[in-house]
Amino acid sequence: MEYSETELSKHRMNKAVEDLLAAKELFITEKYAQSINRSYYVIFHSTRALLAFDRYDSKKHSGVIHFFHQNYIAANKIENQYGKIFSMAFNIRVRADYHDFFLASKEDAIKQLNNAEDFINRIKSYLLTEMKIDSL
């Protein structure tokens, strides 16, 4: 079944919203590494919601990150701070998920959660204004 860019974007944004709720719940229960993981996926799925309009996706996270940086950050469509947020979120998520002795702190987790919330709101704003999506 073929989906429109708008349908795909909304589906991906719904995943991001669900991940944001999960990140908040995990933070409250002091599961900081898991909250960092979900916060990263808020950013990742928000970005994929945006890239639906470019008909671009990648099996590798690095591909999504690179495309976003090249086509939105470098092109001045999205502010540079969001490229930095994405890169930092990826790096800390990798450490939290794969480095045996990484201990995620409350400060790490709240920073990532706040960044994820800021990021999703910026992407929603872009989709609503620039891509003319009626609602998210």
Side-chain angles (χ1 to χ4, degrees):
M1 179 178 220
E2 192 69 24
Y3 296 98
S4 72
E5 290 92 350
T6 300
E7 291 170 317
L8 182 57
S9 180
K10 285 182 176 185
H11 173 74
R12 290 175 175 175
M13 188 56 74
N14 285 336
K15 289 176 80 169
V17 168
E18 288 174 11
D19 284 333
L20 183 58
L21 294 172
K24 288 177 179 182
E25 289 174 15
L26 290 162
F27 179 81
I28 289 167
T29 58
E30 299 181 8
K31 293 179 175 80
Y32 300 131
Q34 294 85 352
S35 178
I36 287 170
N37 175 283
R38 290 297 92 194
S39 291
Y40 167 75
Y41 278 97
V42 171
I43 294 167
F44 181 71
H45 291 304
S46 297
T47 302
R48 289 182 67 237
L50 177 61
L51 302 188
F53 288 95
D54 296 301
R55 295 200 159 272
Y56 178 83
D57 203 10
S58 175
K59 293 182 195 262
K60 293 186 176 188
H61 289 236
S62 60
V64 171
I65 294 167
H66 177 75
F67 190 91
F68 176 71
H69 278 273
Q70 185 176 342
N71 293 280
Y72 288 89
I73 302 301
N76 294 316
K77 294 178 183 178
I78 300 285
E79 298 80 6
N80 192 46
Q81 72 192 56
Y82 295 100
K84 291 178 183 175
I85 287 172
F86 199 165
S87 295
M88 287 186 308
F90 176 77
N91 290 332
I92 195 167
R93 195 269 309 179
V94 167
R95 290 195 318 265
D97 285 355
Y98 301 112
H99 292 195
D100 291 332
F101 296 105
F102 177 80
L103 295 174
S105 69
K106 182 177 185 177
E107 292 76 23
D108 291 333
I110 194 66
K111 180 177 182 180
Q112 294 312 307
L113 187 54
N114 289 336
N115 282 344
E117 199 154 24
D118 185 27
F119 194 96
I120 193 174
N121 288 333
R122 179 62 183 101
I123 299 302
K124 281 182 177 180
S125 173
Y126 187 91
L127 290 170
L128 291 167
T129 58
E130 301 299 322
M131 307 314 289
K132 310 293 190 223
I133 292 183
D134 57 353
S135 66
L136 290 170

